[in-house]
Amino acid sequence: MRSGISFTLSTSDRLRLEALVADRNTSQKHVWRARIVLLSADGLGTHAIMREAGVSKTVVWRWQDRFAQEGVDGLLRDKTRPARIPPLGPEVAARVVALTQGEPPGETTHWTAAAMSKAAAISVSSVQRIWRGHGLQPHRVRQFKLSTDPAFAAKLRDVVGLYIDPPAHAVVLSVDEKSQIQALARTQEPLPMKPGQPTTRTHDYKRHGTTTLFAALDVLEGKVIGRCMQRHRHQEFIRFLNAVEAAVPAGKIVHAILDNYAVHKHPKVRAWLDRHPRWTFHFTPTSASWLNAVEGFFAKLAKRRLRRGVFGSLIEVQAAIKRFIAESNGNPKPFVWTADPDRIIQAAKRGHQVLDSHH
């Protein structure tokens, strides 16, 4: 061993080093580091250790030094080295962010990682890392719609008031229609799911007509009154109102929440409303159908029953909808409103301010 380097190998250190050498799963770089120390402890010189371990003189000296300073744990750790390619500076990230928030070149609608890589003269992985670090996702689009109803706040509070504190001896119904429900059958039988493969089906289909579901959700009980009809006119809506009128117990006041679809405000519908004084219509603000509780039921119906359903005729899809409504009514869950109307109104105001600032 060269002068200036000396260490004493304890019994525990020797056993640990010998175990590293004997273990076939040990990394080879750790094996020859351990052998350098063991041979050094046995009194071999530098040249002899070089021959036995198959390494250079500087390597022998380096790991003798490391063991003398840090012990066995030092042999199992590599020193951190500077990257071969210098890291990108903050000005590069700022330029990528600025370009991403602007318009892409040519006849394209949004930036891709490849396009940004070419424009910024950096790698695709660097672009993706910068986007991820700044929360940028150019490939995604979120949809929104702000209500322009001047009575937005008043209508919102009216509807939410019915959800949170419904009147005594009254029924609160959320009423709407789900139109254009298609009876679709695939051109070939779908294949079932199996390990490693999801359910598969053909991309093309046979269309067997459409139907419209009129539905009224009882907010307090969670039950749904539904009727499927061929068309979506005021005549069908009045027929549905008559069906709901017959289903609601006598003596109950009916508060119906509806959106601003023209059918709901047809003169003949208003005349029907005049003939039924126990009914009161509450309209949601324009472009705010999400306020109607029955939309949640429609979403559940589409997701769980219609979207992946296969229907050979219009009768089949109507029967499936009826069964789904009956199943839901067998285990009803009352509708619970949790959002603060004040926060919704403030969010709508902020949205209008942002739109105004952009225009």
Side-chain angles (χ1 to χ4, degrees):
M1 187 182 299
R2 75 185 193 278
S3 59
I5 295 294
S6 63
F7 51 78
T8 302
L9 195 62
S10 65
T11 303
S12 60
D13 285 346
R14 177 176 288 277
L15 292 175
R16 188 176 176 188
L17 292 173
E18 290 176 348
L20 287 174
V21 174
D23 190 352
R24 297 178 61 184
N25 294 322
T26 303
S27 174
Q28 282 302 301
K29 64 181 181 181
H30 294 157
V31 170
W32 55 254
R33 292 173 189 175
R35 291 191 64 194
I36 289 173
V37 175
L38 289 171
L39 293 172
S40 300
D42 292 340
L44 274 68
T46 300
H47 291 283
I49 297 173
M50 289 169 56
R51 289 192 301 269
E52 291 291 332
V55 295
S56 66
K57 182 186 297 184
T58 56
V59 171
V60 174
W61 290 351
R62 179 187 308 125
W63 293 107
Q64 286 175 342
D65 291 341
R66 180 73 66 81
F67 179 79
Q69 296 172 7
E70 302 182 23
V72 177
D73 291 335
L75 304 179
L76 306 178
R77 178 184 57 80
D78 293 326
K79 279 192 173 181
T80 303
R81 297 178 176 85
R84 183 173 59 88
I85 301 175
L88 299 175
E91 66 280 357
V92 177
R95 181 166 176 263
V96 170
V97 172
L99 286 173
T100 306
Q101 293 176 324
E103 292 295 328
E107 293 297 322
T108 55
T109 58
H110 62 281
W111 283 100
T112 62
M116 181 58 71
S117 172
K118 183 177 180 181
I122 59 177
S123 66
V124 172
S125 60
S126 296
V127 172
Q128 294 172 336
R129 184 167 58 252
I130 292 171
W131 281 352
R132 189 163 51 246
H134 290 80
L136 296 173
Q137 297 177 319
H139 64 286
R140 295 187 62 189
V141 177
R142 289 182 61 184
Q143 296 181 344
F144 79 99
K145 178 68 173 179
L146 290 176
S147 175
T148 57
D149 196 325
F152 175 80
K155 292 181 178 179
L156 173 69
R157 295 185 187 281
D158 178 41
V159 173
V160 173
L162 291 174
Y163 291 149
I164 297 176
D165 187 19
H169 308 293
V171 175
V172 179
L173 300 177
S174 176
V175 181
D176 203 359
E177 307 88 16
K178 183 174 180 61
S179 60
Q180 297 296 311
I181 300 175
Q182 302 185 81
L184 301 181
R186 299 293 158 178
T187 56
Q188 296 175 359
E189 289 295 322
L191 299 177
M193 176 177 56
K194 61 182 181 181
Q197 177 178 307
T199 302
T200 58
R201 65 180 186 183
T202 60
H203 68 279
D204 53 348
Y205 53 84
K206 296 179 181 178
R207 188 167 176 266
H208 297 288
T210 62
T211 187
T212 294
L213 172 62
F214 291 79
L217 170 67
D218 188 331
V219 173
L220 294 178
E221 294 187 3
K223 293 185 176 180
V224 175
I225 302 172
R227 296 290 186 277
C228 288
M229 300 185 189
Q230 292 298 108
R231 302 184 67 177
H232 187 199
R233 305 171 302 172
H234 71 274
Q235 293 94 323
E236 286 76 19
F237 183 57
I238 291 174
R239 285 167 51 195
F240 176 67
L241 290 177
N242 288 329
V244 176
E245 167 69 14
V248 175
K252 291 279 189 179
I253 303 297
V254 181
H255 293 273
I257 301 170
L258 308 99
D259 60 21
N260 291 271
Y261 188 56
V263 165
H264 303 158
K265 297 181 178 181
H266 192 277
K268 292 188 177 180
V269 174
R270 293 186 180 277
W272 183 93
L273 189 61
D274 293 336
R275 295 194 303 270
H276 297 79
R278 71 167 178 159
W279 281 71
T280 302
F281 282 3
H282 302 262
F283 292 100
T284 62
T286 56
S287 304
S289 294
W290 48 266
L291 193 57
N292 213 348
V294 75
E295 296 294 340
F297 172 78
F298 288 154
K300 184 170 67 173
L301 170 66
K303 182 178 180 180
R304 298 186 182 179
R305 189 64 188 91
L306 300 178
R307 191 168 298 159
R308 294 173 60 173
V310 178
F311 309 105
S313 66
L314 197 58
I315 295 176
E316 288 185 14
V317 70
Q318 291 175 341
I321 292 172
K322 290 179 182 177
R323 292 194 302 270
F324 185 85
I325 292 174
E327 184 179 289
S328 298
N329 289 341
N331 184 27
K333 294 182 180 179
F335 176 75
V336 179
W337 179 270
T338 58
D340 184 354
D342 292 329
R343 296 184 64 181
I344 296 175
I345 294 171
Q346 293 300 321
K349 289 181 179 179
R350 290 194 300 270
H352 283 292
Q353 291 172 356
V354 172
L355 284 180
D356 293 340
S357 65
H358 278 279
H359 294 295

